[in-house]
Amino acid sequence: MNLTADEKAAFKRDGVLIRRGLAAPELVKRAVSLIDASYRKEMTADDIAAYSRRTFAPELGDRTELLSLYRETGAAGLAGDLLGDAAPVTTSQIQIRVPETEFPGVQPEKAMHVDGVSCPHLDPRELRTFSLLVGVVLSDISDPQCGALHYLPGGHLTMARWFADKWSLGMTEQVPPEIDRERGTPFLGMPGDVLLMHHLVPHTVAQNLMPFPRVMTYFRVSHPDHASRRLEALRDPWLDYPPLADAPAPTFKE
C-alpha cells in the first residue's frame, strides 16, 4: 500500500499520483447514496454558484460515510508517505459539476488556479492553502466532457518559482499568463479511483456536457506546520514534503 520509490519520483516530477480502485465499492456506495439524496432533495439552481466555490451538501462534510473515503481506503497512509506527518482531516469537500442540459449557464468553466490563493470571492491577502489535495471519484468520469478536472503536470514547479520571484501577497492574479493559457490534462476515472495532487499544481474544471452529474469528494490535507508557514510553502514546493527529500530531482523544462 505504501508508495514506491518510482511513485515518489513521479510525484516529485508531476505533482500528481493516481491510485485506481483504492476506495472499496461499499464505501463509495455509502457516500454516493448520501450525496445523491442531498442533490435531488435539497439543492436548487440558486445554490450552485456558492456551492461550486466551496462545497455541495455542506451539511454532509463531517459525516463518517464521507470521511471514511480518506481514513479507511489507504489514502491517509499515502498522504503520510508524502508529507511524513499530516494534520487530522475532519471534513470533506463535495464537488459536483452539474449537467449543462439541466442547469444551462449556471456553472461556467473555472479558470486555472491554485486553491486558496487570490480567490475571486475572498480578500486577495487571505491565504487558505494546504499541502496536498486528495480526491475520490464517485461517478463515471471516463469522458473529458463529464466536467473533468484538468491539471498541469509539473506545474507545481512553475508556480513555486512564480510565487518566489514575481508574486506578492495581495495580487489578484491566480497564475502567471503562460499557465492561464494552458488547458491541462483531464483527470479521468471511475468510482473508487483516488487522486493525490500537490497543492501547487494549477488546475481548472470544465463544464459538464454529459446528462448526469460529475461527483467527487476532496480532502485538503496539511502538514502539521503548514498553517505557520503558508507563504514559505508557496515558494518552496517541498517544504511540507520531507520524505521526498531523497527522491530523484525532477527535470526542469524551461
Side-chain angles (χ1 to χ4, degrees):
M1 184 62 71
N2 291 349
L3 293 176
T4 67
D6 286 345
E7 285 178 314
K8 289 182 179 180
F11 184 88
K12 199 165 185 178
R13 181 192 66 226
D14 299 333
V16 172
L17 278 176
I18 299 168
R19 279 287 183 96
R20 302 293 181 187
L22 189 64
E26 59 269 22
L27 295 179
V28 171
K29 184 177 180 180
R30 287 166 56 197
V32 168
S33 179
L34 272 182
I35 295 169
D36 187 64
S38 176
Y39 179 83
R40 296 299 175 189
K41 296 178 182 178
E42 306 295 336
M43 192 191 74
T44 69
D46 292 338
D47 297 325
I48 293 174
Y51 285 173
S52 297
R53 290 193 297 265
R54 294 179 174 86
T55 180
F56 283 73
E59 74 279 3
L60 302 180
D62 61 354
R63 289 287 294 266
T64 299
E65 293 91 336
L66 294 175
L67 292 173
S68 64
L69 294 171
Y70 175 73
R71 296 171 175 171
E72 299 178 23
T73 60
L78 298 180
D81 281 353
L82 292 170
L83 302 175
D85 193 12
V89 171
T90 59
T91 189
S92 63
Q93 179 196 33
I94 299 163
Q95 272 302 317
I96 301 174
R97 296 303 285 181
V98 300
E100 277 295 296
T101 53
E102 187 175 0
F103 298 101
V106 173
Q107 198 175 38
E109 181 173 319
K110 288 189 177 182
M112 269 288 179
H113 65 283
V114 167
D115 289 334
V117 179
S118 301
C119 298
H121 57 286
L122 298 174
D123 185 328
R125 294 167 296 181
E126 181 179 357
L127 292 177
R128 295 191 179 184
T129 56
F130 49 94
S131 305
L132 175 72
L133 185 69
V134 176
V136 183
V137 179
L138 298 178
S139 64
D140 183 337
I141 316 178
S142 56
D143 188 319
Q145 294 194 91
C146 289
L149 178 145
H150 288 65
Y151 63 90
L152 192 62
H156 57 309
L157 306 175
T158 302
M159 290 303 303
R161 294 195 296 272
W162 184 67
F163 283 129
D165 299 337
K166 298 182 179 179
W167 180 87
S168 60
L169 191 63
M171 286 176 59
T172 57
E173 293 84 355
Q174 292 186 282
V175 296
E178 65 272 21
I179 296 293
D180 195 40
R181 292 190 291 267
E182 295 282 352
R183 288 291 302 132
T185 299
F187 170 56
L188 304 180
M190 297 298 292
D193 291 348
V194 173
L195 168 76
L196 297 100
M197 189 169 78
H198 194 295
H199 167 259
L200 288 176
V201 172
H203 54 281
T204 181
V205 189
Q207 288 183 308
N208 183 359
L209 304 179
M210 303 300 280
F212 50 85
R214 186 278 276 165
V215 186
M216 288 189 66
T217 187
Y218 290 104
F219 304 93
R220 285 163 161 72
V221 188
S222 292
H223 185 280
D225 296 330
H226 178 81
S228 66
R229 58 189 192 192
R230 295 180 193 273
L231 279 173
E232 293 90 340
L234 290 177
R235 297 162 179 163
D236 178 357
W238 309 120
L239 184 64
D240 287 350
Y241 290 81
L244 297 187
D246 296 330
T251 300
F252 284 85
K253 294 183 180 179
E254 300 290 355

